[in-house]
């Protein structure tokens, strides 16, 4: 590594920031905010960037941050965007750590605190290292969990003049020091829905005088779980899950309404649309059978993430050189999870970053005891930086 080369300058700055990365992550972890409410998170990130005198702008409503494009030392160099999501989940944390969430009922159970800390560290290191072979910018994105944050950032010009976009997602199934970088499909098409079942309430002892929406909802759920897979080609994976049921106030009162909330997941848009039509039909038929009113409302369809082959190839080359061939997985099967990273309309690659500690048990994402090995933070910063340094120009 040549003295004062871009790589040497970046490495020096990363070393200077290394001890701050857990500080960044723990500060964010202690103060999680739900999608649409990321004001304090944005303010904290803004303070760090402002202290470094790094030009940036806040997103609309002071949620999210888009940094200025840092120009390259080369004319007509490609512009690479680095993205992290900053929102948290409505989960009450059960970890017994000094940096446990102070916002009751809200938790960084999906690792977005780690994503943000990695991007903040990378941003500061690259900024302080001076001109690099490519141009770049950072995007701290709100509202990933509700599937609308990426579109918000795009509407605000986040990927204007950008040639490619990169992101990490932590993976508790991978040990620290390993990554999964796979070309092609990475996540599912996702469509959430709400179904309101309206009946006629009354006394629990006289159901014949009512239209029991709980009974109707139970029948509908069973139909959905049976009909969707039986009416879909078995070679096309599809999952429909009802994740929430709300209805009733007392054991002897039949309520007027029941609310169901669920999600459709598939790797193919046509399969997702077929599942939606099936649910619509089942709602209509069940309503007629029970003389109830059933109103399904579907959110917009969130596309699945597909890693661009060219961008993924660049990331793979850098990762193999940095971590070694054995620590880079390339054949991970797509996940039925959803990610609005798919809504960035430029070639991209989402990499899975191992956060499993060899000494500790780790629970899955979206659980109240999820935590991670913070050694992954420095590895994430170094890998992001290595990809930027090795990007072909």
């Amino acid at each position: 590594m040549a003295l004062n080369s871009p790589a040497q300058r970046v490495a020096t700055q990363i070393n200077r920031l290394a001890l701050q990365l857990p500080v960044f992550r723990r500060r964010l972890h202690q103060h999680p905010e739900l999608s649409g409410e990321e004001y304090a998170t944005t303010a904290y990130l803004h303070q760090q960037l402002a202290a470094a005198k790094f030009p940036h702008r806040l997103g609309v409503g002071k949620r999210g941050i888009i940094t200025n494009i840092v120009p390259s030392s080369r004319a007509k160099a490609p512009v690479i965007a680095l993205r992290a999501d900053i929102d948290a989940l409505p989960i009450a944390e059960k970890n017994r750590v000094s940096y446990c969430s102070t916002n009751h009922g809200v938790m960084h159970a999906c690792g977005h605190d780690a994503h943000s800390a990695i991007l903040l560290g990378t941003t500061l290191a690259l900024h302080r290292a001076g001109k690099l072979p490519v141009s770049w910018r950072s995007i701290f994105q709100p509202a990933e969990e509700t599937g609308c944050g990426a579109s918000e950032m795009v509407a605000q010009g986040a990927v204007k003049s950008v040639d490619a976009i990169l992101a990490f997602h932590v993976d508790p199934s991978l040990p620290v020091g390993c990554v999964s970088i796979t070309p092609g499909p990475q996540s599912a098409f996702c469509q959430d829905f709400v179904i309101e079942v309206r009946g006629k309430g009354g006394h629990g002892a006289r159901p014949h005088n009512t239209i029991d929406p709980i009974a109707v909802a139970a029948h509908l759920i069973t139909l959905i779980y049976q009909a969707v897979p039986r009416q879909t080609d078995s070679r096309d994976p599809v999952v429909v899950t009802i994740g929430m049921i709300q209805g009733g106030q007392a054991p002897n009162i039949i309520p007027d309404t029941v609310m169901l909330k669920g999600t459709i997941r598939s790797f193919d848009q046509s399969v997702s649309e077929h599942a939606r039509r099936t649910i619509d039909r089942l709602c209509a038929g069940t309503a007629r059978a029970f003389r109830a009113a059933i109103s399904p409302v579907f959110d917009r369809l969130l596309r699945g993430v597909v890693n661009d082959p060219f961008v993924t190839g660049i990331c793979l080359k850098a990762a193999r050189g940095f971590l070694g061939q054995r620590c880079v997985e390339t054949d991970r099967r797509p996940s039925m999870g959803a990610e609005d990273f798919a809504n960035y309309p430029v070639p991209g690659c989402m990499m899975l970053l191992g956060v499993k500690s060899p000494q500790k048990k780790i629970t899955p994402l979206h659980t109240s005891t999820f935590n991670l090995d913070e050694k992954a933070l420095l590895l994430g910063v170094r890998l992001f930086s290595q990809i930027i340094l090795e990007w072909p120009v």
Side-chain angles (χ1 to χ4, degrees), residues 89-106:
L89 287 162
I91 293 176
E93 183 165 12
K94 294 182 180 178
N95 287 315
R96 296 183 178 179
V97 292
S98 60
Y99 50 90
C100 190
S101 170
T102 59
N103 188 357
H104 181 70
V106 183

Side-chain angles (χ1 to χ4, degrees), residues 3-257:
L3 186 64
N4 203 37
S5 67
Q8 179 62 61
R9 297 197 308 271
V10 170
T12 298
Q13 296 303 326
I14 291 175
N15 289 337
R16 289 175 179 172
L17 280 163
L19 295 178
Q20 290 182 262
L21 298 175
V23 177
F24 294 153
R25 185 250 165 171
R26 294 183 181 197
R27 170 59 175 73
L28 293 165
H29 190 90
Q30 281 187 295
H31 304 280
E33 295 175 298
L34 295 175
S35 301
E37 301 174 8
E38 307 94 333
Y39 308 110
T41 302
T42 298
Y44 174 72
L45 296 168
H46 162 67
Q47 290 166 5
Q48 301 303 315
L49 295 173
K53 298 182 179 179
F54 188 14
H56 63 281
R57 57 188 169 93
L58 302 186
V60 172
K62 296 184 178 180
R63 296 169 44 252
I65 291 175
I66 303 168
T67 73
N68 288 15
I69 292 175
V70 180
S72 167
S73 56
R74 301 170 184 262
K76 298 183 179 179
V79 179
I80 313 304
L82 306 175
R83 172 266 201 178
D85 34 18
I86 67 175
D87 53 333
L89 287 162
I91 293 176
E93 183 165 12
K94 294 182 180 178
N95 287 315
R96 296 183 178 179
V97 292
S98 60
Y99 50 90
C100 190
S101 170
T102 59
N103 188 357
H104 181 70
V106 183
M107 177 190 173
H108 273 297
C110 201
H112 295 187
D113 53 342
H115 301 167
S116 298
I118 289 170
L119 183 54
L120 179 58
T122 304
T123 302
L124 295 175
L126 296 183
H127 168 61
R128 292 167 180 169
K131 297 283 187 178
L132 300 175
V134 297
S135 303
W136 62 278
R137 83 161 3 139
S138 295
I139 303 168
F140 295 89
Q141 178 207 304
E144 187 280 324
E145 294 293 349
T146 54
C148 59
S151 296
E152 290 179 20
M153 294 286 98
V154 171
Q156 296 171 50
V159 291
K160 184 178 181 180
S161 303
V162 167
D163 296 291
I165 188 167
L166 308 175
F168 283 123
H169 202 298
V170 297
D171 188 333
S173 71
L174 281 172
V176 169
C178 293
V179 294
S180 177
I181 306 175
T182 304
Q186 293 298 292
S187 69
F189 284 80
C190 170
Q191 189 163 37
D192 293 345
F193 58 84
V194 177
I195 300 175
E196 183 182 49
V197 180
R198 297 186 302 280
K200 177 185 176 184
H203 200 293
R206 293 180 283 277
H208 59 285
N209 292 330
T210 75
I211 299 174
D212 186 348
I214 292 179
V216 176
H219 185 78
L220 178 60
I221 292 171
T222 300
L223 280 177
I224 290 172
Y225 282 180
Q226 288 180 336
V228 171
R230 299 301 291 177
Q231 296 181 17
T232 304
D233 191 321
S234 59
R235 294 168 294 182
D236 295 323
V238 62
V239 172
V240 179
T241 294
I242 306 297
M244 193 192 82
I245 306 174
Q246 288 183 334
Q249 299 83 34
N252 63 343
I253 300 174
I254 293 174
D256 289 314
T257 62

